[in-house]
Structures are given as C-alpha cells and as structure tokens.
Amino acid sequence: MQFLKLSSESAGRQPEEADAESVRTVRHPFCPNRNVKTKGMHFKGYSLPQKLFWQNTTTFTNGTFSSFAVRGKHGEFRVCDQLELVIQARNGLNQTKSYGGDYFRAKMFTKNQTFAASSSTDGEVLDHGNGTYSAIFTLKWAGVVSIEVTLVHPSEAIYLLRQIQSDGLVDAQYLGGFRAKKSSKVESTLCDTALPRKYGPLCNFTDERSGFAWFCRKPQNLSCKYWFGHRLRPASKVWNETRFNDKHSKLPFLKANMRISGDTDSILVVKSQQGASSVVYSSVLARLPSCHPTALGSQAEVAGFYSGEHWYSGTCKIRHFAKEEAMSCLQGKKVRLLGDSTIRQLFEYYAKTFKLKTSITKKLPSWYIGPMKMLENNHDINITFRFHGYPIARASQWEITAYIDYVVNVLDSIRDDENVTVVVLSLGVHFTKHRPPIFEARIQSIVGAIRRLHERSPQTIVLFKSANTREHKLVEHYLMNSDWLARDLDWRLRRIISEENNVGFVDAWDMTNAQFDKHAVHPLGPHVLNLSNQMLSYICPEVK
C-alpha cells in the first residue's frame, strides 16, 4: 500500500488531477485483458486543516470505530478482477471525520497449510479529503482471500509529523569526537548539517568534493584537526530537547497500528475466465519484460505479490536464482552496495550464502559503515559495501571519520572497466529526522554523479532500493522514525529519479508492506533472498 503526500501549499483547495502528460494507460502486467494507469509520479493530494487542536483522544481518528466495506461484495470475484474497499474514518465518539490525512495500510492474503500468498494495494489508498478513502486491489490468486486494513496513524499524528518535517527536531542530533594523538581522552561536541551561531566557534567539515555540509562545535581544548569520530547523541537527550515530547503531542501516537473492522473478513475468489487459479499459473509472467533500467514514471500502478516465499513484480520478470546460478551471475562483476544498513543486509546475505570472508578484522572494526569487501577468486566475485556518508544515526560507538565518504564521491571514483559494474543504492532511513530538502539535495547530487558515471561507463548497472517498513516500540520511534516520514522521503526519491531511463528500481516498500513477517527495518523471512533475486535479474536477465 502507498499513501498520499499531503501538501501544506494546497490548504483549502480542491484536489488536483495528475498531470495528463505524465500518466498513460497501459496493459495490466498481470491481467492483459485490463488496462491500468502508469505511476506518473504526480498524484492527487489533499491538505490537512491548517490548524488542529485537541484536548483528548476523542477527536482523533479511532481504529475501533473506523471501518471498511467491500464494494460489490455480493458478486462473484475471479482472478484478475479488481477489488475495491471503501474506508470510513471515525473519531473516538464514533462520528465520521470531515477531513482526510489519515495513514491507512491495506493488504490481502491467503495462508493455510498448503498455500500462502499476500499483496498490498495497487497504487494509492486514495484520500478523498472528507474522511473517506478507497483501496484498490488486483485479485491475483483463487481461494479464500483475507482482507486487512490498518490505521497506522490518525491525521492528527500526521499533522505533528509534518511540523517535525518543517521545523526539525533539535539543533544538533550528533556528536563529534576529538582526541589528541596518543591520548585516550575524548572530547565530544555537538554536530549536524548546520548549527546556529549560539554554539560559538565551529569546525567546518563540509566535504570539498561533494559540497555536503557538516559542522561540529569546536572543542574547548583541541583544534578541529583532531576530529576522529562520529556518533548519534543518546536518543533520550535528543528527545528531551524536542518540543514534541510533552503529553499533549504524544496522544495521537498512543494507539498506532490499529486493525480496523470491515463488513467481511474475507472473500472467495474463483478461477479466472481462462481457468487459471493464480497469476503464477497463467502464462502472463513469462511474457513480462526482462529487467532493465527504465523510467520509473512509466511503470504500471500495480502491486507485486508473494506466492509462497517468492516475490513477483509487475515491473519485470524476476528470476529465482539457486546458489550456483547466483554465483555464476556475479562472476566477473563488481558489485558496489552503497547506502544504509538495509542494503548492507545484502552484503551479509552473500557472505553467509557463499561462505565468503570479508575484509573486516579486529584491526579494522568498521562493520557498520564499511568500507567492507568480499572476494571469491574461483568465481571472480567482487562485492563491497559502504555507508552513504553523514548523517549516520548510530549511537552505540564512535564511527571512525576516516572511513566515511559520500556516495557522490564513490560514484565519481568508479572508472570505466571491461568488467560490468553494478551499483545498488539505498538512502532514506537516516534522513527521517532531517528536513526533506536535505535528502532531496543528496539524491539530486547522486543522480548527477550517476549521469557522469554512465558517460564514462555506459554498461554500468545502477539500481535504487526503496525503504522498508519498520517496527516501532516507543512513541519516540513514531515521532523520530515514523514510516510516514520514511514513505514521504521515498516518494521524493521516486519523483527525482522518475524520468531517469538508465536507473533501475527495486520496490522494497511494496515487498515489506505485503510480507507475512512483522514489520522490521531489517526484515526477516525471505525478504533478502527476494532482494537478491531482483538485483540479479537486472544483472542476468532471462534471455528469450
């Protein structure tokens, strides 16, 4: 499921239709007898009221009283039919809401002793701006299909999250460590992408090549040249300094992720007109195009799905690679995994699956940020991982600044080579506590570096991986790392790269939204296996 970005500039205005030139009607990738719109990267949007006030939880959208209904539920449903849910938001007094902005997720699934399948909604859960919503599905398999709708956040919580986006959390969320040579004493100061003048003299660590800004308060007893370490400030200290840590601000987040009830828990889906019991058992998957980088905005607005442990996407034909097939595919390739820990999972997966040694040792304990390398000489496999540069939100230990570099610089250092280079990028998780323009500027700069890379090395394959849904244990997690914040950044990423014809996209959000396992920033189950299959399908597409 995906959700609508709420625009503060459109307060009080009627919804705007997508730019007609950006949206085309194409054949449905799973159901050739139907048509579907492309993503277009421009969507209808409704604003929240400019001001929301509350004294207690009764005015909030309430998961107990909110409900959904299946449109046309008394008819017969077949594989490839469209299923529409109509969602009605109600508050704690069981009154219908008069404005939109709620964050709903919806998915369908079947799970029994012999069969498991799941999928999220196609496209958007459409916000009609008046307290009602629509969720659209493509029915992809036959059987008893369960329906699940979750109120992740009421609109009042989104109102606060948007304030965090515009105002920021605190002035400084990070620490810089300074240490004189041959000394064990560390002096730490506050750091961030910018610091107000009230902090006095600053150390300017703005990167000369990329131009990305980073500042630390100058230590009292040392010069700036003794900067050696980076870490996140303790979350409790950051949280105590925010203006959102009062009881009033916490109220909208106290009952997050609530399942809402519907007029039915499940529907019966029968075989398609052609007699297929599942999209998997029809011939349509074999007719999907091979995976290759293409403009994201031209892709059909259709969710992928799990069938068993395998993930199927409507974008392209995803192959399922056995271990030996995967190693053969990677032979002679240079794979560069750049970004956060959600892409480092792929590095760890290959190290474990192929039983490969990595470059991390006790003398070089840079597992979290890299750079890490694994080599396998028999198959000529070369895979590296490196973090995306600041901001890095890890508080448990000092990360050595000498090991940290920005993605733009790494991309600009890749030279043309007779071997195929594969670059997989994943950014977003560590940017949720920052204002969106910082993330957008980073992605735009990376896109420029990708264009320069393709000028030098046209055969280089570049893929972006989207964010994962994640777990939330405390109210602070919702306010500082909410899925709504991550999803908003994800849509900004998609819009920036939407017209890039030489960039592929792996929709991990779609995968984790539909998964049977619990939401987690580092998903369990078959997620990483399917992430690998998608990447390898771009490197070694099936030859017709």
Side-chain angles (χ1 to χ4, degrees), residues 433-452:
K433 296 187 284 294
H434 293 267
R435 296 177 180 88
I438 292 174
F439 177 73
E440 290 176 321
R442 185 69 59 88
I443 298 301
Q444 288 165 348
S445 182
I446 289 172
V447 168
I450 292 171
R451 291 172 182 168
R452 294 191 295 273

Side-chain angles (χ1 to χ4, degrees), residues 62 113 127 177 381 505:
N62 187 289
Q113 292 181 342
D127 184 345
I381 292 176
F505 191 77

Side-chain angles (χ1 to χ4, degrees), residues 300-318:
E301 193 100 12
V302 175
F305 66 103
Y306 281 102
S307 181
E309 68 171 7
H310 294 302
W311 175 256
Y312 297 90
S313 169
T315 302
C316 63
K317 189 186 304 182
I318 297 176

Side-chain angles (χ1 to χ4, degrees), residues 75-336:
E76 183 180 68
F77 292 104
R78 291 182 175 273
V79 172
C80 271
D81 281 353
Q82 177 177 288
L83 172 69
E84 180 179 356
L85 306 182
V86 179
I87 302 170
Q88 177 63 62
R90 295 184 178 85
N91 64 21
L93 299 175
N94 202 16
Q95 300 167 332
T96 56
K97 297 290 290 287
S98 61
Y99 53 88
D102 300 297
Y103 177 15
F104 286 102
R105 278 190 184 134
K107 77 174 184 178
M108 62 179 185
F109 63 94
T110 296
K111 193 170 186 180
N112 53 47
Q113 292 181 342
T114 59
F115 179 69
S118 63
S119 181
S120 59
T121 54
D122 291 339
E124 300 294 299
V125 167
L126 180 62
D127 184 345
H128 297 296
N130 58 4
T132 64
Y133 304 78
S134 296
I136 306 295
F137 297 87
T138 294
L139 298 175
K140 304 179 181 79
W141 62 87
V144 177
V145 177
S146 298
I147 301 168
E148 179 181 295
V149 180
T150 302
L151 173 64
V152 181
H153 290 317
S155 51
E156 291 74 17
I158 304 303
Y159 176 75
L160 289 177
L161 291 174
R162 288 181 56 191
Q163 289 186 51
I164 290 174
Q165 279 193 323
S166 61
D167 300 341
L169 276 172
V170 294
D171 291 334
Q173 303 177 53
Y174 307 91
L175 295 175
F178 297 81
R179 182 172 57 202
K181 292 182 179 179
K182 299 182 180 180
S183 173
S184 60
K185 184 179 180 181
V186 175
E187 184 176 349
S188 62
T189 68
L190 299 176
C191 304
D192 216 306
T193 56
L195 290 174
R197 291 183 178 180
K198 68 180 182 180
Y199 288 105
L202 301 178
C203 293
N204 185 350
F205 298 125
T206 297
D207 185 66
E208 293 182 0
R209 289 190 289 169
S210 66
F212 296 136
W214 196 258
F215 297 89
C216 292
R217 191 175 188 178
K218 186 181 181 302
Q220 291 183 347
N221 302 313
L222 294 170
S223 69
C224 296
K225 71 177 183 180
Y226 290 109
W227 182 48
F228 81 95
H230 167 87
R231 71 194 308 174
L232 181 71
R233 294 177 64 196
S236 58
K237 289 188 177 181
V238 174
W239 177 244
N240 289 336
E241 293 178 14
T242 72
R243 65 183 181 88
F244 303 99
N245 68 346
D246 59 286
K247 183 178 180 180
H248 187 260
S249 296
K250 290 181 179 180
L251 287 176
F253 297 93
L254 293 180
K255 292 187 177 181
N257 280 321
M258 293 187 65
R259 291 273 298 272
I260 70 172
S261 60
D263 59 348
T264 184
D265 292 329
S266 60
I267 60 169
L268 178 63
V269 181
V270 299
K271 293 180 179 181
S272 68
Q273 297 288 356
Q274 292 77 25
S277 62
S278 170
V279 171
V280 174
Y281 301 119
S282 70
S283 61
V284 66
L285 294 181
R287 295 197 297 266
L288 287 174
S290 297
C291 296
H292 65 276
T294 187
L296 180 60
S298 66
Q299 295 178 7
E301 193 100 12
V302 175
F305 66 103
Y306 281 102
S307 181
E309 68 171 7
H310 294 302
W311 175 256
Y312 297 90
S313 169
T315 302
C316 63
K317 189 186 304 182
I318 297 176
R319 299 177 57 192
H320 302 141
F321 290 80
K323 177 182 174 181
E324 289 301 322
E325 290 176 314
M327 295 183 75
S328 177
C329 176
L330 290 171
Q331 187 168 356
K333 313 296 193 303
K334 294 181 179 179
V335 179
R336 303 293 175 252

Side-chain angles (χ1 to χ4, degrees), residues 349-376:
Y349 169 80
Y350 288 133
K352 181 179 180 180
T353 302
F354 299 159
K355 296 180 172 57
L356 304 181
K357 293 183 178 180
T358 70
S359 60
I360 301 305
T361 66
K362 291 183 178 179
K363 293 182 179 180
L364 188 68
S366 55
W367 163 81
Y368 190 81
I369 61 170
M372 296 193 291
K373 178 183 289 188
M374 68 174 76
L375 299 173
E376 205 279 353

